[in-house]
Amino acid sequence: MANIRTLGEFIVEKQHDFPHASGELSSLLGSIKLAAKIVNREINKAGLVDITGAAGDQNIQGEDQQKLDVYANEKFKAALEARDQVCGIASEEEDNAVGFNKPLNLNAKYVVLMDPLDGSSNIDVNVSVGTIFSIYRRISPVGSPPTEEDFLQPGSQQVAAGYVIYGSSTMLVYTTGNGVHGFTYDPSLGSFCLSHENMTIPQDGVIYSINEGNYIRFPMGVKKYIKFCQEAVPEEKRPYTSRYIGSLVADFHRNLLKGGIYLYPSTASYPNGKLRLLYECNPMAFLIEQAGGKATDGFQRILDISPTELHQRVPFFVGSTNMVEKVEGFLREYPDE
Ligand code: P6P
């Protein structure tokens, strides 16, 4: 039998990579793995079971909460609370951070921030969606409920981050600061099996991912970059290609494998950008830097931004280093008044 290394085995194998954790971070990642399997099962049935319709509520973002959003949020929250490594979570689907009050949880040393089902509006049209998670060591003293400062740490303080992509296959991709590793779910085994060890993004690429429908209100530097991609030296064929799925995890994952850049600048509807710093941009920025790429808000490193509130949005440019630096150059050369 091929040398199958499951996610569980790999985490234990790499345990020495994070000296502070005496197996707690390993167990925490295990609870995320479990919740991912449960959510994956429901997503794969989504077309059959009446859980794709909007739940009727709206989340803090004012977006219709799809039932699967709510379902995924509950499953990840329950899986994290059930183990004794997490004292609380913050989620796109929760207006405020949620502290776990069982004694075991009060003594836990990690907090988790997550987007339990990003791109969920795509579920009804059978497009890939994802879960994004970000893990920090708490700042507040153990034995007490988590405080807001535990959740408002800069991305550079993350101890682990990752995503699950529910696509043509389901994959879990994570980093603990020692490279990026990808695991593909094998339903016949019920296991995530190592399929992409030490994932690295090419320094350059030809794929740019942006919703050009927002073009009219893009910053001038972004307009200049798009024009650069469209008019780059033709040679024998246009060297750039536009690929935008409308699901961050799917666009990010493809660009990580092939090289490319994902851009969500400020727009008319989202003057500060649409993506949330804490549970979308920071984890993706940690991953891309660990894979040799770059993530910026156009002017500063995403991981250096000091958060001010839980659901804050930032402009987001992430992917191949040379492509991100090209956009930064245009934004500096053509500053908006
Ligand atoms: P737009 C999904 O809602 C999401 O947060 C990302 O997954 C995706 O890349 C982006 O928004 C799509 O936004 O405005 O292009 O539809």
Side-chain angles (χ1 to χ4, degrees):
M1 180 165 71
N3 172 24
I4 294 177
R5 293 161 76 189
T6 66
L7 174 57
E9 291 161 343
F10 188 85
I11 290 171
V12 172
E13 215 179 279
K14 297 287 181 182
Q15 187 130 299
H16 62 270
D17 285 348
F18 22 93
H20 320 287
S22 52
E24 286 148 315
L25 190 56
S26 306
S27 180
L28 203 178
L29 289 169
S31 54
I32 289 175
K33 175 180 70 173
L34 172 63
K37 291 179 185 178
I38 294 170
V39 171
N40 177 61
R41 182 184 60 195
E42 292 311 309
I43 284 179
N44 288 343
K45 291 188 301 189
L48 304 173
V49 180
D50 177 28
I51 53 175
T52 55
D57 299 340
Q58 291 212 324
N59 62 20
I60 193 169
Q61 329 293 342
E63 295 165 344
D64 287 345
Q65 250 178 314
Q66 301 280 339
K67 284 181 184 172
L68 260 177
D69 269 352
V70 177
Y71 179 86
N73 191 56
E74 293 311 312
K75 291 304 172 191
F76 276 95
K77 199 165 47 170
L80 292 167
E81 185 169 18
R83 309 261 180 113
D84 53 4
Q85 293 80 29
V86 177
C87 62
I89 62 108
S91 167
E92 184 193 51
E93 304 304 335
E94 303 278 354
D95 295 353
N96 304 301
V98 176
F100 298 149
N101 297 319
K102 293 200 313 287
L104 275 180
N105 297 108
L106 287 174
N107 289 319
K109 60 197 240 195
Y110 295 103
V111 293
V112 177
L113 297 93
M114 64 181 174
D115 184 354
L117 208 57
D118 180 72
S120 57
S121 55
N122 290 305
I123 291 168
D124 293 349
V125 293
N126 207 10
V127 165
S128 302
V129 291
T131 297
I132 308 171
F133 60 90
S134 170
I135 303 171
Y136 291 83
R137 200 169 288 104
R138 71 185 298 178
I139 297 174
S140 57
V142 293
S144 58
T147 62
E148 190 173 50
E149 64 170 347
D150 291 322
F151 298 98
L152 294 181
Q153 302 181 55
S156 55
Q157 298 303 305
Q158 291 174 95
V159 294
Y163 57 83
V164 184
I165 177 167
Y166 309 98
S168 45
S169 67
T170 294
M171 280 189 68
L172 189 150
V173 176
Y174 84 97
T175 183
T176 56
N178 293 279
V180 177
H181 311 292
F183 299 78
T184 300
Y185 186 58
D186 179 338
S188 68
L189 297 176
S191 296
F192 282 99
C193 302
L194 182 65
S195 53
H196 299 69
E197 188 167 7
N198 285 319
M199 299 173 82
T200 55
I201 185 169
Q203 281 296 93
D204 220 329
V206 295
I207 297 171
Y208 65 101
S209 307
I210 188 168
N211 182 342
E212 297 190 43
N214 299 316
Y215 182 86
I216 193 77
R217 295 292 293 275
F218 281 158
M220 181 51 73
V222 171
K223 290 181 178 176
K224 291 290 185 185
Y225 181 70
I226 293 172
K227 198 165 171 57
F228 164 80
C229 291
Q230 291 168 344
E231 296 180 350
V233 174
E235 289 160 15
E236 67 285 355
K237 59 181 174 48
R238 191 181 297 281
Y240 285 85
T241 186
S242 172
R243 286 282 183 278
Y244 191 70
I245 298 171
S247 182
L248 169 63
V249 173
D251 280 314
F252 180 95
H253 185 73
R254 180 206 51 245
N255 293 350
L256 170 58
L257 290 169
K258 294 177 174 273
I261 182 172
Y262 171 97
L263 309 91
Y264 208 109
S266 59
T267 66
S269 315
Y270 298 104
N272 294 321
K274 177 182 184 184
L275 299 187
R276 291 79 165 182
L277 172 62
L278 292 186
Y279 41 78
E280 289 175 332
C281 301
N282 273 337
M284 294 317 224
F286 187 17
L287 285 162
I288 208 72
E289 289 196 1
Q290 283 290 309
K294 193 164 185 181
T296 166
D297 67 357
F299 302 94
Q300 65 180 316
R301 182 175 176 245
I302 288 289
L303 297 182
D304 290 340
I305 297 176
S306 293
T308 52
E309 56 97 15
L310 219 42
H311 300 285
Q312 79 183 76
R313 302 174 192 268
V314 291
F316 192 43
F317 305 89
V318 61
S320 295
T321 298
N322 294 359
M323 301 178 86
V324 173
E325 290 180 348
K326 190 76 178 172
V327 179
E328 288 179 308
F330 280 116
L331 287 165
R332 277 193 302 273
E333 191 178 351
Y334 300 94
D336 281 353
E337 293 71 51

